[in-house]
Amino acid sequence: MKKVYNANGLKTLSPNGSLVFCKNCEKIVASINKQGYRYINLSITCSCGSFGNLEIAKETSTSDPYEVINRMPKAKNGLAVCGVCNVPMFGVIDERVKNYSFYVECVCGKKYDLKPSFPKRLGETIEMLKNKD
């Protein structure tokens, strides 16, 4: 895939990611780890009501954004973290958005498109039980 940077209703400090701002109200709504992804597509509805979409692809990407993955990343300290290599990929500030969706391909090639659905405490308990074995 060739390099792509498309932003509508959102803007970043650099074309590789970093902080993500709502173009309407200028609030920081998310952040992207520049070294944590090959492809990312974020759709965000800001708390101000404005909708934005951001798509960034690197040349190493093998993603098809229309492919359904049905896999969720781990959640750690408010960030979406790859379940395979533990690299943080991005984070969305829940208090500043009404809703969001995403499709992301980690630097290791693992792809995700579902938001983590369990609360933080439950996630910690699951991790503790995994490590107990």
Side-chain angles (χ1 to χ4, degrees):
M1 182 178 243
K2 65 179 185 169
K3 278 184 154 182
V4 174
Y5 178 85
N6 293 319
N8 296 309
L10 299 172
K11 63 182 179 180
T12 60
L13 293 176
S14 83
N16 291 324
S18 71
L19 295 176
V20 179
F21 298 84
C22 171
K23 271 191 175 177
N24 184 51
C25 67
E26 299 290 324
K27 280 191 275 190
I28 298 170
V29 292
S31 65
I32 299 172
N33 178 6
K34 294 179 187 183
Q35 290 85 34
Y37 70 94
R38 292 183 190 174
Y39 177 88
I40 188 163
N41 189 325
L42 280 173
S43 295
I44 295 175
T45 303
C46 181
S47 60
C48 75
S50 179
F51 174 79
N53 183 271
L54 176 67
E55 178 184 35
I56 306 173
K58 296 182 179 178
E59 291 172 349
T60 56
S61 173
T62 61
S63 288
D64 173 6
Y66 300 107
E67 175 186 18
V68 177
I69 303 299
N70 286 326
R71 188 175 302 123
M72 65 180 72
K74 294 193 300 187
K76 186 173 185 182
N77 298 327
L79 299 173
V81 177
C82 180
V84 175
C85 66
N86 290 313
V87 169
M89 297 174 288
F90 71 95
V92 174
I93 304 171
D94 288 324
E95 300 80 37
R96 295 186 183 177
V97 301
K98 288 183 180 179
N99 200 3
Y100 74 95
S101 63
F102 67 90
Y103 178 103
V104 64
E105 178 184 3
C106 180
V107 288
C108 74
K110 199 70 168 176
K111 299 171 187 171
Y112 304 95
D113 62 356
L114 294 178
K115 290 189 257 187
S117 61
F118 52 82
K120 183 178 179 188
R121 296 299 295 166
L122 177 59
E124 291 171 357
T125 304
I126 291 170
E127 286 300 315
M128 183 186 73
L129 293 172
K130 275 190 210 173
N131 295 332
K132 219 173 188 184
D133 295 333

